[in-house]
Amino acid sequence: MAENPVHEISEAECLKLLSVFEFGRIAFRVGDRLEVFPINYHADGREITFRTAPGTKLAGVLLADDVVFEIDNIGVREAWSVVAHGRARRLETSSETEAAAALPIYPLIPTVKREFVRIDLTSVSGRRFHRWAEPLADSEPVVDSTD
């Protein structure tokens, strides 16, 4: 039997991966609707900060009880994914917004984004996937769901 292709990533490594990258996705529920948005961000420890403009993303992320943030990377030999949960809040004091404005958060498109949001992370987990050839179908036992 081959080595397990899936490995858990430690919380410390997950936080390091979050701090090295700058593009991810946030997801949250507002009422009975799930929303997912791409964002450029800055991570520092258990805090993720991003810029946005007034609209669905800002209103929804602030109303949601739980925000999920995800980044991933797919390489030739391995892939990985980090998922974090937390609570979002708008940065409102002048000291918070001035500090956030100095962070290296670069939008993908040239739009004005004056609102800063911080996600305070409550949990972080990750998985690394080794990418190698798929096993032959005959090597896996067939499971009969009628048993």
Side-chain angles (χ1 to χ4, degrees), residues 104-132:
I105 304 172
Y106 307 108
L108 288 177
I109 56 173
T111 57
V112 176
K113 297 178 179 173
R114 292 192 175 106
E115 301 288 340
F116 290 95
V117 175
R118 176 153 302 141
I119 303 170
D120 298 309
L121 302 179
T122 56
S123 69
V124 181
S125 62
R127 296 171 79 186
R128 178 171 279 107
F129 312 95
H130 294 290
R131 301 183 72 201
W132 50 61

PDB file of all heavy atoms in Angstrom, residues 104-132:
ATOM      1  N   PRO A 104       0.836  46.284   3.540  1.00  0.00           N
ATOM      2  CA  PRO A 104       0.990  45.998   2.099  1.00  0.00           C
ATOM      3  C   PRO A 104      -0.186  45.179   1.557  1.00  0.00           C
ATOM      4  O   PRO A 104      -0.082  43.985   1.313  1.00  0.00           O
ATOM      5  CB  PRO A 104       2.304  45.210   2.040  1.00  0.00           C
ATOM      6  CG  PRO A 104       2.377  44.525   3.366  1.00  0.00           C
ATOM      7  CD  PRO A 104       1.740  45.468   4.352  1.00  0.00           C
ATOM      8  N   ILE A 105      -1.323  45.852   1.388  1.00  0.00           N
ATOM      9  CA  ILE A 105      -2.517  45.215   0.827  1.00  0.00           C
ATOM     10  C   ILE A 105      -2.754  45.857  -0.530  1.00  0.00           C
ATOM     11  O   ILE A 105      -3.093  47.040  -0.605  1.00  0.00           O
ATOM     12  CB  ILE A 105      -3.754  45.399   1.729  1.00  0.00           C
ATOM     13  CG1 ILE A 105      -3.477  44.876   3.142  1.00  0.00           C
ATOM     14  CG2 ILE A 105      -4.965  44.696   1.110  1.00  0.00           C
ATOM     15  CD1 ILE A 105      -4.566  45.204   4.140  1.00  0.00           C
ATOM     16  N   TYR A 106      -2.551  45.072  -1.590  1.00  0.00           N
ATOM     17  CA  TYR A 106      -2.615  45.616  -2.938  1.00  0.00           C
ATOM     18  C   TYR A 106      -3.785  45.013  -3.704  1.00  0.00           C
ATOM     19  O   TYR A 106      -3.806  43.814  -3.957  1.00  0.00           O
ATOM     20  CB  TYR A 106      -1.309  45.331  -3.684  1.00  0.00           C
ATOM     21  CG  TYR A 106      -0.108  45.805  -2.908  1.00  0.00           C
ATOM     22  CD1 TYR A 106       0.751  44.900  -2.304  1.00  0.00           C
ATOM     23  CD2 TYR A 106       0.149  47.164  -2.761  1.00  0.00           C
ATOM     24  CE1 TYR A 106       1.852  45.336  -1.582  1.00  0.00           C
ATOM     25  CE2 TYR A 106       1.245  47.617  -2.041  1.00  0.00           C
ATOM     26  CZ  TYR A 106       2.091  46.692  -1.456  1.00  0.00           C
ATOM     27  OH  TYR A 106       3.173  47.126  -0.738  1.00  0.00           O
ATOM     28  N   PRO A 107      -4.760  45.826  -4.094  1.00  0.00           N
ATOM     29  CA  PRO A 107      -5.913  45.299  -4.826  1.00  0.00           C
ATOM     30  C   PRO A 107      -5.528  44.791  -6.218  1.00  0.00           C
ATOM     31  O   PRO A 107      -4.575  45.283  -6.822  1.00  0.00           O
ATOM     32  CB  PRO A 107      -6.871  46.488  -4.923  1.00  0.00           C
ATOM     33  CG  PRO A 107      -6.061  47.689  -4.625  1.00  0.00           C
ATOM     34  CD  PRO A 107      -4.838  47.266  -3.876  1.00  0.00           C
ATOM     35  N   LEU A 108      -6.265  43.810  -6.694  1.00  0.00           N
ATOM     36  CA  LEU A 108      -6.032  43.283  -8.040  1.00  0.00           C
ATOM     37  C   LEU A 108      -6.510  44.247  -9.110  1.00  0.00           C
ATOM     38  O   LEU A 108      -5.964  44.301 -10.198  1.00  0.00           O
ATOM     39  CB  LEU A 108      -6.748  41.943  -8.217  1.00  0.00           C
ATOM     40  CG  LEU A 108      -6.158  40.764  -7.475  1.00  0.00           C
ATOM     41  CD1 LEU A 108      -7.017  39.528  -7.681  1.00  0.00           C
ATOM     42  CD2 LEU A 108      -4.736  40.499  -7.922  1.00  0.00           C
ATOM     43  N   ILE A 109      -7.574  44.971  -8.804  1.00  0.00           N
ATOM     44  CA  ILE A 109      -8.101  45.936  -9.775  1.00  0.00           C
ATOM     45  C   ILE A 109      -8.045  47.335  -9.157  1.00  0.00           C
ATOM     46  O   ILE A 109      -8.150  47.487  -7.945  1.00  0.00           O
ATOM     47  CB  ILE A 109      -9.547  45.585 -10.209  1.00  0.00           C
ATOM     48  CG1 ILE A 109     -10.473  45.490  -9.002  1.00  0.00           C
ATOM     49  CG2 ILE A 109      -9.568  44.290 -10.992  1.00  0.00           C
ATOM     50  CD1 ILE A 109     -11.925  45.325  -9.353  1.00  0.00           C
ATOM     51  N   PRO A 110      -7.865  48.365  -9.972  1.00  0.00           N
ATOM     52  CA  PRO A 110      -7.691  49.723  -9.450  1.00  0.00           C
ATOM     53  C   PRO A 110      -9.030  50.360  -9.052  1.00  0.00           C
ATOM     54  O   PRO A 110      -9.608  51.152  -9.799  1.00  0.00           O
ATOM     55  CB  PRO A 110      -7.040  50.461 -10.625  1.00  0.00           C
ATOM     56  CG  PRO A 110      -7.541  49.733 -11.836  1.00  0.00           C
ATOM     57  CD  PRO A 110      -7.688  48.297 -11.415  1.00  0.00           C
ATOM     58  N   THR A 111      -9.511  50.006  -7.878  1.00  0.00           N
ATOM     59  CA  THR A 111     -10.735  50.597  -7.354  1.00  0.00           C
ATOM     60  C   THR A 111     -10.449  51.185  -5.983  1.00  0.00           C
ATOM     61  O   THR A 111      -9.520  50.766  -5.299  1.00  0.00           O
ATOM     62  CB  THR A 111     -11.863  49.558  -7.238  1.00  0.00           C
ATOM     63  OG1 THR A 111     -11.414  48.488  -6.401  1.00  0.00           O
ATOM     64  CG2 THR A 111     -12.265  49.014  -8.591  1.00  0.00           C
ATOM     65  N   VAL A 112     -11.257  52.159  -5.575  1.00  0.00           N
ATOM     66  CA  VAL A 112     -11.087  52.793  -4.270  1.00  0.00           C
ATOM     67  C   VAL A 112     -11.735  51.899  -3.215  1.00  0.00           C
ATOM     68  O   VAL A 112     -12.907  51.541  -3.317  1.00  0.00           O
ATOM     69  CB  VAL A 112     -11.726  54.201  -4.256  1.00  0.00           C
ATOM     70  CG1 VAL A 112     -11.636  54.805  -2.865  1.00  0.00           C
ATOM     71  CG2 VAL A 112     -11.057  55.083  -5.300  1.00  0.00           C
ATOM     72  N   LYS A 113     -10.942  51.552  -2.218  1.00  0.00           N
ATOM     73  CA  LYS A 113     -11.413  50.697  -1.118  1.00  0.00           C
ATOM     74  C   LYS A 113     -10.958  51.346   0.180  1.00  0.00           C
ATOM     75  O   LYS A 113      -9.820  51.184   0.584  1.00  0.00           O
ATOM     76  CB  LYS A 113     -10.861  49.284  -1.266  1.00  0.00           C
ATOM     77  CG  LYS A 113     -11.355  48.611  -2.523  1.00  0.00           C
ATOM     78  CD  LYS A 113     -10.766  47.244  -2.686  1.00  0.00           C
ATOM     79  CE  LYS A 113     -11.340  46.632  -3.961  1.00  0.00           C
ATOM     80  NZ  LYS A 113     -10.733  45.397  -4.307  1.00  0.00           N
ATOM     81  N   ARG A 114     -11.871  52.071   0.811  1.00  0.00           N
ATOM     82  CA  ARG A 114     -11.512  52.835   2.009  1.00  0.00           C
ATOM     83  C   ARG A 114     -11.862  52.141   3.318  1.00  0.00           C
ATOM     84  O   ARG A 114     -11.503  52.614   4.382  1.00  0.00           O
ATOM     85  CB  ARG A 114     -12.180  54.201   1.960  1.00  0.00           C
ATOM     86  CG  ARG A 114     -11.632  55.077   0.863  1.00  0.00           C
ATOM     87  CD  ARG A 114     -12.098  56.514   1.028  1.00  0.00           C
ATOM     88  NE  ARG A 114     -11.466  57.349   0.036  1.00  0.00           N
ATOM     89  CZ  ARG A 114     -12.094  57.827  -1.025  1.00  0.00           C
ATOM     90  NH1 ARG A 114     -13.356  57.556  -1.227  1.00  0.00           N
ATOM     91  NH2 ARG A 114     -11.446  58.591  -1.887  1.00  0.00           N
ATOM     92  N   GLU A 115     -12.593  51.052   3.255  1.00  0.00           N
ATOM     93  CA  GLU A 115     -12.998  50.340   4.468  1.00  0.00           C
ATOM     94  C   GLU A 115     -11.979  49.250   4.790  1.00  0.00           C
ATOM     95  O   GLU A 115     -11.553  48.519   3.892  1.00  0.00           O
ATOM     96  CB  GLU A 115     -14.376  49.714   4.281  1.00  0.00           C
ATOM     97  CG  GLU A 115     -15.472  50.692   3.952  1.00  0.00           C
ATOM     98  CD  GLU A 115     -15.873  51.557   5.133  1.00  0.00           C
ATOM     99  OE1 GLU A 115     -15.594  51.174   6.283  1.00  0.00           O
ATOM    100  OE2 GLU A 115     -16.462  52.622   4.902  1.00  0.00           O
ATOM    101  N   PHE A 116     -11.613  49.139   6.054  1.00  0.00           N
ATOM    102  CA  PHE A 116     -10.710  48.082   6.499  1.00  0.00           C
ATOM    103  C   PHE A 116     -11.466  47.141   7.420  1.00  0.00           C
ATOM    104  O   PHE A 116     -12.202  47.588   8.305  1.00  0.00           O
ATOM    105  CB  PHE A 116      -9.507  48.660   7.241  1.00  0.00           C
ATOM    106  CG  PHE A 116      -8.578  49.402   6.342  1.00  0.00           C
ATOM    107  CD1 PHE A 116      -8.679  50.767   6.190  1.00  0.00           C
ATOM    108  CD2 PHE A 116      -7.592  48.728   5.625  1.00  0.00           C
ATOM    109  CE1 PHE A 116      -7.822  51.462   5.357  1.00  0.00           C
ATOM    110  CE2 PHE A 116      -6.732  49.414   4.786  1.00  0.00           C
ATOM    111  CZ  PHE A 116      -6.849  50.785   4.648  1.00  0.00           C
ATOM    112  N   VAL A 117     -11.280  45.850   7.195  1.00  0.00           N
ATOM    113  CA  VAL A 117     -11.927  44.818   8.001  1.00  0.00           C
ATOM    114  C   VAL A 117     -10.842  43.906   8.547  1.00  0.00           C
ATOM    115  O   VAL A 117      -9.887  43.571   7.836  1.00  0.00           O
ATOM    116  CB  VAL A 117     -12.945  44.004   7.156  1.00  0.00           C
ATOM    117  CG1 VAL A 117     -13.536  42.860   7.957  1.00  0.00           C
ATOM    118  CG2 VAL A 117     -14.040  44.925   6.627  1.00  0.00           C
ATOM    119  N   ARG A 118     -11.004  43.507   9.791  1.00  0.00           N
ATOM    120  CA  ARG A 118     -10.074  42.557  10.390  1.00  0.00           C
ATOM    121  C   ARG A 118     -10.856  41.313  10.806  1.00  0.00           C
ATOM    122  O   ARG A 118     -11.923  41.407  11.398  1.00  0.00           O
ATOM    123  CB  ARG A 118      -9.387  43.163  11.602  1.00  0.00           C
ATOM    124  CG  ARG A 118      -8.478  42.159  12.292  1.00  0.00           C
ATOM    125  CD  ARG A 118      -7.337  42.790  13.039  1.00  0.00           C
ATOM    126  NE  ARG A 118      -6.510  43.597  12.162  1.00  0.00           N
ATOM    127  CZ  ARG A 118      -5.975  44.764  12.519  1.00  0.00           C
ATOM    128  NH1 ARG A 118      -6.165  45.254  13.720  1.00  0.00           N
ATOM    129  NH2 ARG A 118      -5.228  45.438  11.668  1.00  0.00           N
ATOM    130  N   ILE A 119     -10.293  40.156  10.471  1.00  0.00           N
ATOM    131  CA  ILE A 119     -10.855  38.881  10.914  1.00  0.00           C
ATOM    132  C   ILE A 119      -9.970  38.385  12.044  1.00  0.00           C
ATOM    133  O   ILE A 119      -8.770  38.161  11.851  1.00  0.00           O
ATOM    134  CB  ILE A 119     -10.892  37.849   9.774  1.00  0.00           C
ATOM    135  CG1 ILE A 119     -11.677  38.377   8.578  1.00  0.00           C
ATOM    136  CG2 ILE A 119     -11.494  36.532  10.272  1.00  0.00           C
ATOM    137  CD1 ILE A 119     -11.547  37.522   7.322  1.00  0.00           C
ATOM    138  N   ASP A 120     -10.548  38.248  13.229  1.00  0.00           N
ATOM    139  CA  ASP A 120      -9.848  37.690  14.377  1.00  0.00           C
ATOM    140  C   ASP A 120     -10.076  36.188  14.341  1.00  0.00           C
ATOM    141  O   ASP A 120     -11.206  35.717  14.510  1.00  0.00           O
ATOM    142  CB  ASP A 120     -10.380  38.308  15.671  1.00  0.00           C
ATOM    143  CG  ASP A 120     -10.135  39.816  15.721  1.00  0.00           C
ATOM    144  OD1 ASP A 120      -8.988  40.231  15.495  1.00  0.00           O
ATOM    145  OD2 ASP A 120     -11.103  40.562  15.971  1.00  0.00           O
ATOM    146  N   LEU A 121      -9.006  35.432  14.085  1.00  0.00           N
ATOM    147  CA  LEU A 121      -9.123  33.995  13.864  1.00  0.00           C
ATOM    148  C   LEU A 121      -9.338  33.227  15.162  1.00  0.00           C
ATOM    149  O   LEU A 121      -8.642  33.458  16.150  1.00  0.00           O
ATOM    150  CB  LEU A 121      -7.875  33.469  13.151  1.00  0.00           C
ATOM    151  CG  LEU A 121      -7.561  34.132  11.802  1.00  0.00           C
ATOM    152  CD1 LEU A 121      -6.293  33.528  11.221  1.00  0.00           C
ATOM    153  CD2 LEU A 121      -8.730  34.002  10.851  1.00  0.00           C
ATOM    154  N   THR A 122     -10.291  32.315  15.129  1.00  0.00           N
ATOM    155  CA  THR A 122     -10.553  31.450  16.277  1.00  0.00           C
ATOM    156  C   THR A 122     -10.032  30.043  16.058  1.00  0.00           C
ATOM    157  O   THR A 122      -9.776  29.324  17.020  1.00  0.00           O
ATOM    158  CB  THR A 122     -12.067  31.399  16.577  1.00  0.00           C
ATOM    159  OG1 THR A 122     -12.763  30.981  15.398  1.00  0.00           O
ATOM    160  CG2 THR A 122     -12.582  32.765  17.019  1.00  0.00           C
ATOM    161  N   SER A 123      -9.895  29.625  14.790  1.00  0.00           N
ATOM    162  CA  SER A 123      -9.325  28.304  14.498  1.00  0.00           C
ATOM    163  C   SER A 123      -8.658  28.331  13.132  1.00  0.00           C
ATOM    164  O   SER A 123      -9.085  29.062  12.240  1.00  0.00           O
ATOM    165  CB  SER A 123     -10.392  27.211  14.551  1.00  0.00           C
ATOM    166  OG  SER A 123     -11.301  27.353  13.482  1.00  0.00           O
ATOM    167  N   VAL A 124      -7.600  27.532  13.006  1.00  0.00           N
ATOM    168  CA  VAL A 124      -6.842  27.442  11.757  1.00  0.00           C
ATOM    169  C   VAL A 124      -6.449  25.983  11.565  1.00  0.00           C
ATOM    170  O   VAL A 124      -5.985  25.335  12.499  1.00  0.00           O
ATOM    171  CB  VAL A 124      -5.557  28.307  11.808  1.00  0.00           C
ATOM    172  CG1 VAL A 124      -4.800  28.219  10.497  1.00  0.00           C
ATOM    173  CG2 VAL A 124      -5.873  29.745  12.144  1.00  0.00           C
ATOM    174  N   SER A 125      -6.651  25.475  10.354  1.00  0.00           N
ATOM    175  CA  SER A 125      -6.225  24.103  10.056  1.00  0.00           C
ATOM    176  C   SER A 125      -5.782  24.039   8.599  1.00  0.00           C
ATOM    177  O   SER A 125      -6.107  24.908   7.798  1.00  0.00           O
ATOM    178  CB  SER A 125      -7.356  23.106  10.311  1.00  0.00           C
ATOM    179  OG  SER A 125      -8.454  23.376   9.452  1.00  0.00           O
ATOM    180  N   GLY A 126      -5.030  23.001   8.281  1.00  0.00           N
ATOM    181  CA  GLY A 126      -4.559  22.862   6.919  1.00  0.00           C
ATOM    182  C   GLY A 126      -4.229  21.426   6.582  1.00  0.00           C
ATOM    183  O   GLY A 126      -4.036  20.591   7.469  1.00  0.00           O
ATOM    184  N   ARG A 127      -4.186  21.168   5.291  1.00  0.00           N
ATOM    185  CA  ARG A 127      -3.847  19.838   4.799  1.00  0.00           C
ATOM    186  C   ARG A 127      -2.925  19.975   3.600  1.00  0.00           C
ATOM    187  O   ARG A 127      -3.091  20.857   2.777  1.00  0.00           O
ATOM    188  CB  ARG A 127      -5.111  19.083   4.403  1.00  0.00           C
ATOM    189  CG  ARG A 127      -6.021  18.833   5.593  1.00  0.00           C
ATOM    190  CD  ARG A 127      -7.349  18.292   5.191  1.00  0.00           C
ATOM    191  NE  ARG A 127      -7.230  16.879   4.906  1.00  0.00           N
ATOM    192  CZ  ARG A 127      -8.207  16.148   4.408  1.00  0.00           C
ATOM    193  NH1 ARG A 127      -9.360  16.687   4.123  1.00  0.00           N
ATOM    194  NH2 ARG A 127      -8.030  14.871   4.179  1.00  0.00           N
ATOM    195  N   ARG A 128      -1.962  19.085   3.545  1.00  0.00           N
ATOM    196  CA  ARG A 128      -1.021  19.013   2.422  1.00  0.00           C
ATOM    197  C   ARG A 128      -1.313  17.727   1.663  1.00  0.00           C
ATOM    198  O   ARG A 128      -1.544  16.682   2.277  1.00  0.00           O
ATOM    199  CB  ARG A 128       0.408  19.027   2.950  1.00  0.00           C
ATOM    200  CG  ARG A 128       1.451  18.916   1.876  1.00  0.00           C
ATOM    201  CD  ARG A 128       2.852  19.162   2.417  1.00  0.00           C
ATOM    202  NE  ARG A 128       3.074  20.612   2.510  1.00  0.00           N
ATOM    203  CZ  ARG A 128       3.116  21.309   3.645  1.00  0.00           C
ATOM    204  NH1 ARG A 128       2.987  20.709   4.794  1.00  0.00           N
ATOM    205  NH2 ARG A 128       3.308  22.600   3.628  1.00  0.00           N
ATOM    206  N   PHE A 129      -1.302  17.809   0.354  1.00  0.00           N
ATOM    207  CA  PHE A 129      -1.635  16.668  -0.500  1.00  0.00           C
ATOM    208  C   PHE A 129      -0.456  16.376  -1.422  1.00  0.00           C
ATOM    209  O   PHE A 129      -0.048  17.250  -2.184  1.00  0.00           O
ATOM    210  CB  PHE A 129      -2.869  16.974  -1.361  1.00  0.00           C
ATOM    211  CG  PHE A 129      -4.015  17.553  -0.574  1.00  0.00           C
ATOM    212  CD1 PHE A 129      -4.203  18.922  -0.500  1.00  0.00           C
ATOM    213  CD2 PHE A 129      -4.897  16.713   0.095  1.00  0.00           C
ATOM    214  CE1 PHE A 129      -5.251  19.462   0.231  1.00  0.00           C
ATOM    215  CE2 PHE A 129      -5.950  17.253   0.828  1.00  0.00           C
ATOM    216  CZ  PHE A 129      -6.134  18.622   0.895  1.00  0.00           C
ATOM    217  N   HIS A 130       0.083  15.182  -1.324  1.00  0.00           N
ATOM    218  CA  HIS A 130       1.132  14.768  -2.259  1.00  0.00           C
ATOM    219  C   HIS A 130       0.456  14.379  -3.565  1.00  0.00           C
ATOM    220  O   HIS A 130      -0.557  13.690  -3.574  1.00  0.00           O
ATOM    221  CB  HIS A 130       1.931  13.591  -1.702  1.00  0.00           C
ATOM    222  CG  HIS A 130       2.706  13.963  -0.485  1.00  0.00           C
ATOM    223  ND1 HIS A 130       3.802  14.795  -0.534  1.00  0.00           N
ATOM    224  CD2 HIS A 130       2.532  13.647   0.814  1.00  0.00           C
ATOM    225  CE1 HIS A 130       4.269  14.964   0.685  1.00  0.00           C
ATOM    226  NE2 HIS A 130       3.521  14.280   1.523  1.00  0.00           N
ATOM    227  N   ARG A 131       1.036  14.837  -4.662  1.00  0.00           N
ATOM    228  CA  ARG A 131       0.454  14.575  -5.977  1.00  0.00           C
ATOM    229  C   ARG A 131       1.302  13.541  -6.691  1.00  0.00           C
ATOM    230  O   ARG A 131       2.442  13.797  -7.035  1.00  0.00           O
ATOM    231  CB  ARG A 131       0.388  15.865  -6.777  1.00  0.00           C
ATOM    232  CG  ARG A 131      -0.441  16.926  -6.067  1.00  0.00           C
ATOM    233  CD  ARG A 131      -0.560  18.157  -6.890  1.00  0.00           C
ATOM    234  NE  ARG A 131      -1.455  17.860  -8.001  1.00  0.00           N
ATOM    235  CZ  ARG A 131      -1.489  18.545  -9.126  1.00  0.00           C
ATOM    236  NH1 ARG A 131      -0.691  19.554  -9.310  1.00  0.00           N
ATOM    237  NH2 ARG A 131      -2.321  18.227 -10.084  1.00  0.00           N
ATOM    238  N   TRP A 132       0.761  12.357  -6.836  1.00  0.00           N
ATOM    239  CA  TRP A 132       1.423  11.334  -7.621  1.00  0.00           C
ATOM    240  C   TRP A 132       0.371  10.605  -8.421  1.00  0.00           C
ATOM    241  O   TRP A 132      -0.819  10.912  -8.326  1.00  0.00           O
ATOM    242  CB  TRP A 132       2.267  10.395  -6.762  1.00  0.00           C
ATOM    243  CG  TRP A 132       1.601   9.786  -5.555  1.00  0.00           C
ATOM    244  CD1 TRP A 132       0.511   8.973  -5.547  1.00  0.00           C
ATOM    245  CD2 TRP A 132       1.969   9.947  -4.191  1.00  0.00           C
ATOM    246  NE1 TRP A 132       0.192   8.616  -4.265  1.00  0.00           N
ATOM    247  CE2 TRP A 132       1.081   9.185  -3.418  1.00  0.00           C
ATOM    248  CE3 TRP A 132       2.989  10.637  -3.547  1.00  0.00           C
ATOM    249  CZ2 TRP A 132       1.162   9.114  -2.034  1.00  0.00           C
ATOM    250  CZ3 TRP A 132       3.062  10.556  -2.179  1.00  0.00           C
ATOM    251  CH2 TRP A 132       2.167   9.808  -1.441  1.00  0.00           C
TER     252      TRP A 132
END
